[in-house]
Structures are given as structure tokens and as C-alpha cells.
Amino acid sequence: MLGLALDLLIAALVIGVALWTVRTRDDFAAIVGFVAYGLLLTLAWARLAAYDVALTEAAIGGGVTGVILLRASIRLKPVATARKPIGARILVGLLCAAISAALAAVVLLPMTPAPSLAIEVRTHLASTGLGNPIAGVLMAYRALDTFLETVVVLLALFGVWSLTPDAAWGGRPAMAVPAAAFGPLPLFGRLLIPVGIVIGVYIVWVGADAPGGKFQGATILAAMWILAMMAGLTQAPSIGRWRLRLLLAAGPIVFLAIGLAGIPLAGAFLAYPEALAKPLILLIEVALTLSIAATLGLLVAGPPDVTPGVEP
Amino acid sequence: MTAALMATTPGGLLLVLAVVVPVIGILALWLVRARDIEWVAIATLAVNLFLSLATLQAVRASDAPLVYLVGGWLPPLGLALRVDGIAAVLMAMTGAIVAVTALYARGQFGFDPQGPERRRPMVFWTMLLAITGALNLIFAGEDLFNLYVALELLTFAAVPLVSLDGSRDTLEAALRYLVFALAGSVLYLLGVAVIYGAYGTLDLVVLSEIRGAEGALLLAIALMTAGLIAKTALFPLHLWLPPAHAGAPAAASAILSALVVKGSFFLILRLWFDLLPPGLGTIGANGLGLLGAGAVIVGSVLALRQARLKLLVAYSTVAQIGYLFLIFPLATGSEAASPFASLAWTGGVLQLLAHAFAKAAMFMAAGLVYEAIGHDRIDGFRGLGRLAPITVLTMTLAGLSLMGLPPSGGFSAKWLMLSASLGEGAWWWAVVILAGGLLAAGYVFRILMPAFSTPDAPAERLHPVALTRELAALSLAVIAILIGFLPLSPWPLLAIGRLIQVSP
Amino acid sequence: MTALVALFSTAAIGAGIIFFLAGTVGLIRFPDGLTRLHALTKADNLGLGLIVIGLLPLSSSVGMALKLVVIWALVQFAGATVAQLIARVARSTERGE
Amino acid sequence: MADALTVAAVIVLAIAAVGLVRVLRGPSRIDRMMAVQLLGSGSVAVLVLLAVGSGTDALVDIALTLALLAAFASIALATTLAQKATAAAKAEHAPGTPAS
């Protein structure tokens, strides 16, 4: 009963904030609305006991997407956007309503209890040495998906870089902040970043047996790196540097190498020899954490705009 | 074949390599010296071509699909890769076109073997490899979420190619493409979620055995089809395609038009012929056919009215995609026991192949024309035949196939589809096919007539073009013609390993 | 759990809620940016702080209690910094106008 | 006690939600920012209340992440506002700068 009240409140707020965010015309206001939406979504996932998802939403929605949108809004020049014609808006609204209604019908109508793989996932978990079934799905049963998703993230970064002006290729992204106005920021960064790194590492570590994991932890680490850049404590690196490229590629390379080694050693691509499963998976997770953190940080930093060699 | 009996087949490792080798290539590109990126990419694509041909040979030789259980886990818990006859054919097609495109693109985009790393060659080669890997996974994937990952890979690789030039117009086209593609991804993902919720599995083989005629399945397929249509640029969701494909550099346009839109189309085929229970899709199939017919007519008419060659070729893609969607009403309505054995099915696949080769050749030729005379306005083509004979020959051969004149792949495809529609008494599709052919003849002749005429003043070539690049484009046009010499009957290769449809 | 602990927790959490309420009321009713800021920072620091204090005796393990304290410290620290930043921004925009 | 903690969570969330009116109404960007910060603190409070109430460690980890990153988001918002203010000051003579 009490739980239901909480759920209803969260659901109403999620929908309300979403509607308002879609409708608002001011870009800054929409971004603030989107951050609020992310916070509420975190609560919703937490109430659904999807703790891994809630953690991801907290890390991504609460931290990184807001900053990406903000940096985009700074780059945009204010333009007067014409409202779409009323007919088009009604049509889109009707389409969305129809899809929602159909989804609601499928989800709510009484069906035979949906089959689930949850039991099978747990049965085989022991052979991977992991305690968190989500980690089992990500690193063992569907490791191919996870591997390819890391390539997708890398490609997304490369897509951002592809927007670099030709002259700035190989240079570094600028994170210009009017430093004079920000007395407390460097101090805040120096104090918070070590704490954040500890928390990020903890979230990665705990992921093997409890909700958490490389992606969430990497997001926290990336946020700390971005904070260091925003506070002027460090600069974004030049994208032409070989060591940076190696750091970005390290996760997929380690994953791929261990996956290929599985063909002779364990009989299949991305299979782990039983005795070594847990250490190998941990090795992959550590490499992926570093690569994903670096990738996310650079995604936020954006395409390079400082020509290489122009300044020291 | 039952899922319980699924096991890795001999040669199954080829499928893993087809997905993994392009990824290895990408990672290598990032780490090698700037002067080495070209040959690393080309070597990767050569290996990929070899793998795809070996896959085709293995499927033909064993007369059975290749299967690989990733990680040794059996679906539905784990992921399997599976290539049947049609997938093997399309993989080989992709391998060939990508490899030839690589030869065409060598030394382009301001690549300088002595200088520092440049943006455009680096982005082009990375994304070309990524598209190759993504398409291989789309053809080999058997799990709906795994296929979603492949679609994401394909989108993120294709969009930057559109804006490779970095001009304002191409950025706008790329952004519009991205919005359409992401909306499509969301719809597809919604469908995946509905299917997992209803059946507890996403494996196509397992699903084809347990699925019934439930509303959840129909809703999921409707959502996924809508999303994939947006990615395939079927009329009326084609708005993003012409500016995107016309604004990209020629080598990129060739890949985008010939291959990338086929990836999402192939998934629609999978959904409708592997997943949908037979007999359920008649209305939907006719609807898709109707949209296809609209695309054929509208795309062709718009192509006729373009002043620039690249835009004309891009609108022609809209029209030619339309033919592909005629497969749905024709193959589901066919009286053959299995739709895969029908004339329409073979006709559709031939159309896919012929269009891919002809369109890649056409875009490459358009790029060569631009380099030869410095523009691609069709009214300025007089005397082109003397200036660039190989290129005009390429356009002629590719044009023959697009029009559907014999002997060409396009002719065989349209002939088979015509026979199917007349055989089923659905004469209206035949009208569309014929009208589309006439309109295509119109736009192809609009290009060729001035190109073959004598100029008022002797024209001058602006830039010399390497012969290998002209021959690369020509070879693709020749293949489009050669496809026309395949026998005009259902192709047994395409039926290998198709999931047999049993009414629940 | 002794009644005393329950009483203490209830009182602390109740007080925390009151501070949250005060913050919201201040945010909505106070006339200008800086006074609203004042209300807000007092509220979320003290509000969350009191709730954490109330929860400490109820937490199931020492580790959990420790994390609760860290959470409070983080929010406190961030709140102070952000308040500074906001005040500076508010002042500079006022000058600009 | 778990029930009481859930009640507390509902109340805190409701209060923070009322504060959201400032996100909606503004009028200034700073007001919107403060309101979202209040919602951040409120969400952390809700999560720790639920965590202790149900004895779920994972919820504390989520609250920890949120606490760490809520600060991060607020700082990003504040620096953005400062950057926009500087940009506006530069374009002083340009008429009609949006001030909402």
C-alpha cells in the first residue's frame, strides 16, 4: 500500500517532468528538466529492483548526459525555431498514443506467465565464477554483445571526432571555462576527485558479485576526469597521441585476445577455461573500465578544436 | 532443425572471423603509422572478401547453414551465429563491393603517405571497415538483440560518412539521417523488448518453433518493421536519403546506397519470412507492397526531375528499394509450398544483388565524372563520352541493369517478379514494375543522351584519373550485367537452411 | 531495537523532513535568487544530514553506516561549493544587466 | 520501522517534487538549477531511507553514485551559466539576449 503510493508518485513525476521537458522552448530549461527526469528515472528503476539499471541511470543520466547537452547548448547559437504545423503535431501525437496503447495492451492483458531465462542464468553462473547474474549475462552468455557494444562506444567517439575541423585533426578539445570566476572549483576538484575515483573503483569491483560493474564505474571515473578538466586542473589530451589511442583500444583488444584464446583453450570464441574464468573476466573488466572511462570523458570533451602545434 | 540440436558446424568459425576481422582492422588502423592506414584497411577487406567467399562455398558444399555457438553456450541462453543460403550470398556480395570500393577509394580524401594523419582518410577507412563488420553480423546474427547491436554499429558507421566533407549541407543531411536512424532503432528495440517479455528468448530459431499468432508477436513485428523501414528509406520515410547519399563523397555514397540500406531491409525479410506465422501477414504484406509501389513511382519521377547526377542517382535508390518491397505480397501470395522456392523470392534477391552492384558502379562513375569535368550538372555532360569513355561505359552498363533491359541482373529480377505477379493474377504489381522500368529508362537516357552527343567545343579533362579507379567502377557494372546470365528459375541456393514454416 | 533508538530515529528523520519542507517553501516563496539559495542550502544539508543521523542506528551493517556518512559528506561538500558558484554567477549576471 | 521509513520517503519526494515548480516556472536559470539540486538531495534521501528500510546494500551504492554525481551535474550547470553570461557580456550590444 505504502509502496504503491511511492510508486504512483514516482510514475506521475516521471511523466510530468517528461512532458514538460518536451514542451519547453528554452534549451537550458529543457536540459535541467532532463537532468531531473534522470533523477526520477533512477528512483523508478530502484523501485523496480533493477539495481544495475538504476546505477547506470544514476551515473549516466545524473552525470554525463547533462554535461554533454550543456556543452552542446553552449556551442549552439540561439535560433528562433518555428513551431511545426498543428497537423503534424497532432499526427505525431496520435502515433505515439497508438504505440503506447498497443504496448500497454500487450503488457497488461493477462498472458500465460512469460517464460524467462532467469533460472537458467543462475544455474550456469557457477562455471563463470561470478556472483552477479547480470555480470554473467554480460561477460559470459552474451559476451559477444558486450564486446561489440564497446566497439559501438568507440565508434561513437570516432563519429564525434569526425566533426573536427580539418586543421585541428590530431589536436585537443578545449574545455574553456572562465577561470577567474571560479575560486572554489579547483579546490573542490582536488578534494572530490580522489573520493570519486575510490567510489568508481569500488563500483567496478563490487560488480562481479553485486549490482555495479565496469560501465557504471567507468562512468564515475569519466565524470571525475571531466570535473578535473572543468576545474582547469588538467587539459584534454591530443587525440593524435598514440598512448591515448592505445588506452581507448585496450579494452576491446584485451577482450578480443581473451575471446580468441578461448577457441583453442576452451573450445569456442569467447569461452573461458573453467579454472581461469574469474581472473580472466576481471582482467577484461579492468581493461574495459579504463577504455570506457577514457572514451566517455572524450565524448563529453567533444571534437578537437585546438590545432596541434599552435600552443605548447 | 530444432534449437536443441543446434551445434557448431564445421566452418562455423568463418562466421566469427567475418565479424571479428573488420574489428581487428579498425583497432589496427588507430595504432599504425599514418602512412600505413590504407594498406592495413585494404588488406583487412581482402581477408574479409576471402572469408565471405569461403562462407558461400561452405554453405553450397554442405547444402546446410553454417552455425557457431559463441562461447559454447546454447541459445536461448547464449548467442549463435548462423548463415543460411541467402545470408551467404549477401555476405559475398558485400565482401566484393566493399573490396572494389576500397580499390576505388585508394589515395583519395587528401591521403598523403608522407604527411601527418589526416581526418578524412582516417574516418573513411575506419567507417568502411565498421560497415563491413556490421553487415556481416546482420547477415550472420540469429539473436534479435545481437542484431540490434549490429544495427547500431551500422548507423554509427554510416552517419559520419555522410558528413565526411564537413560542409554545412552535409552536416544537416547527416543530422537528419541520424534522427531517422535513431528513431528506427528505438522502435526496433521496443519490439525486441516485447518479444523477450512474451517468449523469454530472442533467438530466431527458437522463436520460430515456439511462437504462435499472439498479439504480442504481431505488435513487435509491426514496431520493428516500422523502425527498419525508416532505416531503409522506404517511401514515405525516404526524405533523409537523397541529401545524405548525394552529399557524401562518391566512394561513401556507393557503400551507403548499395549496401547500408540493404542491411535493415534484410532484417525485415528475416522478421517476415522467419518469424511471422504464415497466413498472418497478407494485409501487412500488401501494405508493404503498396509503399514499395509508391516508392517506385515517386522515386523515379523525382529522379527524372533532378538537375544533378548524384541527386538523380540517389532518388533512383529510393525507387529501386521500392521493388524490393514487392517481394512481400508476391512471395507470401505464391502457391509454392515454401515462399523461398518461389519465382518472386528469387526475383527479389536478384534485384537486391543487381541494384547493389549497379548502384555502387553508378555512384563511383558519378564521382569520376565530377573529377573529369568539375561538376555533375547533367546539362553540361555534352562530349563526356569522348572525355571519359570508360566511365560512360560504366554508366551505360549500370543504367541497363537499373532500367531492366536484357541481358542484365535488373532484367532477370524484374522478369521473375513480373512472372510471379502475372502467375498469381496480381496484375497491378506488374503495372508498377513496367511503369518503373519506363521511368528508369527516362532518367538513364537523360544522362546518356548528352554524354554520347558531340560537344559544341572540344571539352577538356580537368584532372587525370587513375585507370584502376575507372576499371574498379566498370567491374561492378559488368557484374551487374553478368547476374543476368543466371538461370531464370528459382535458385536452390537461396532456400538452404531457411526456417521451415509450420503452422502452429 | 529499543524504543529509545526508535524514538531518536523518528525524531531525527522528522526534523530532517521539516528542513526539507522549509527549503522547498523558501525556494518557492522567497523573493530573490540569493535568499532562495540561502533557504535551499540550509535545507538540503541539514535535511539530509538529520535523516542520515536518524538512519545510522537502524543500518544493518557498519559498512552501510559508513557509506551513509560518506553520502552525507558528499552532498554537504557539493552543496557548499555549488552555493558559492551560484552566488558568483548570480552576482555576475546582475552586474551584466 | 520499514513502513515508517517508506512514509518518510514518500513525504521527502513529495516535498522535493513541489520544489520542482521552480524548475517549471523559473523565472531565472539559477532558480531552475536550485530546484533540480533540491530534487537531487531529495532523491538521495529517498534512496537511503528505502535502503535502510529494506536492508538493501545496492540502494546505498546507488545513493552514493547519485550523491557524487549530483554535485558534478550542478557544477556543470553553474559553469555553463557562467560561460553563457560571459558570452552574453561579450555580445553586449546585440539586442534581445534571452534572459529566461
Side-chain angles (χ1 to χ4, degrees), chain D:
Chain D
M1 200 67 199
D3 277 354
L5 293 181
T6 310
V7 173
V10 173
I11 297 173
V12 170
L13 184 61
I15 291 171
V18 174
L20 272 179
V21 171
R22 273 284 171 223
V23 173
L24 271 54
R25 284 225 318 256
S28 81
R29 293 180 163 177
I30 292 173
D31 291 318
R32 299 189 202 277
M33 224 188 100
M34 289 192 291
V36 82
Q37 214 207 329
L38 180 68
L39 183 67
S41 307
S43 302
V44 171
V46 169
L47 285 171
V48 290
L49 284 166
L50 294 175
V52 174
S54 63
T56 313
D57 265 314
L59 284 171
V60 187
D61 289 345
I62 300 170
L64 191 62
T65 307
L66 217 52
L68 184 66
L69 293 179
F72 169 75
S74 299
I75 285 165
L77 287 167
T79 50
T80 308
L81 278 183
Q83 271 176 288
K84 289 206 162 192
T86 346
K90 268 181 196 163
E92 214 168 356
H93 302 292
T97 19
S100 64

Side-chain angles (χ1 to χ4, degrees), chain B residues 13-101:
Chain B
L13 195 58
L14 283 171
L15 311 184
V16 170
L17 293 177
V19 174
V20 162
V21 163
V23 175
I24 295 176
I26 294 173
L27 297 173
L29 278 193
W30 286 37
L31 298 173
V32 298
R33 289 168 303 184
R35 61 165 180 246
D36 293 331
I37 60 170
E38 254 191 7
W39 76 258
V40 168
I42 292 176
T44 310
L45 293 174
V47 173
N48 175 67
L49 177 61
F50 170 77
L51 289 171
S52 62
L53 293 178
T55 306
L56 181 62
Q57 180 51 34
V59 171
R60 276 177 46 155
S62 65
D63 200 23
L66 297 187
V67 177
Y68 193 88
L69 302 180
V70 181
W73 302 103
L74 206 65
L77 185 62
L79 295 171
L81 299 175
R82 180 171 179 276
V83 162
D84 50 17
I86 179 174
V89 169
L90 297 185
M91 253 172 91
M93 169 195 87
T94 303
I97 292 180
V98 171
V100 175
T101 308

Side-chain angles (χ1 to χ4, degrees), chain A residues 102-103 106 114-115 117 124 127 140-142 145 148-149 152 155 158 162-164 166 169 242 245 256 263 268-269 271, chain B residues 16 24 30-31 68 71-72 76-79 117 119 126 137 143 145-146 149 153 156 171 194 196-200 219:
Chain A
L103 281 176
V106 167
L117 294 174
H124 296 279
S127 69
Y141 313 132
R142 303 186 69 102
D145 281 345
L148 290 171
E149 283 289 5
V152 169
L155 270 189
F158 209 71
S162 81
L163 302 172
T164 310
D166 276 325
W169 184 258
W242 194 80
R245 299 261 175 100
L256 192 58
I263 299 175
F269 178 58
Chain B
V16 170
I24 295 176
W30 286 37
L31 298 173
Y68 193 88
L77 185 62
L79 295 171
E117 187 183 291
R119 177 183 71 91
T126 303
L137 184 61
D143 180 278
F145 185 78
N146 199 226
V149 177
L153 215 52
F156 284 149
L171 281 174
V194 169
Y196 184 77
Y199 300 100
L219 174 69

Side-chain angles (χ1 to χ4, degrees), chain B residues 320 323 351 401-402 404 410-418 433:
Chain B
Q320 300 283 331
Y323 286 109
Q351 163 70 13
S401 182
L402 290 179
F411 167 74
S412 304
K414 279 149 206 169
W415 179 261
L416 289 174
M417 289 169 110
L418 268 179
I433 293 168

Side-chain angles (χ1 to χ4, degrees), chain A residues 121 124-144 146-147 150 203-210 212-215 250-259 261-262 266 269-290 292, chain B residues 71 73:
Chain A
V121 165
H124 296 279
L125 203 57
S127 69
T128 62
L130 298 167
N132 181 5
I134 310 271
V137 171
L138 291 178
M139 299 308 297
Y141 313 132
R142 303 186 69 102
L144 182 62
T146 310
F147 167 62
T150 61
I203 296 283
V204 175
W205 178 254
V206 83
D209 298 309
K214 61 200 169 309
F215 192 72
I253 288 176
V254 170
F255 208 151
L256 192 58
I258 292 177
F269 178 58
L270 286 171
Y272 309 102
E274 196 146 337
L276 289 173
K278 185 152 190 192
L280 285 178
I281 289 175
L282 275 179
L283 183 61
I284 295 173
E285 297 226 304
V286 169
L288 280 183
T289 304
L290 294 174
I292 295 174
Chain B
W73 302 103

Side-chain angles (χ1 to χ4, degrees), chain B residues 219-234:
Chain B
L219 174 69
I221 290 184
L223 288 171
M224 294 161 98
T225 306
L228 292 167
I229 279 177
K231 284 177 182 278
T232 314
L234 175 64

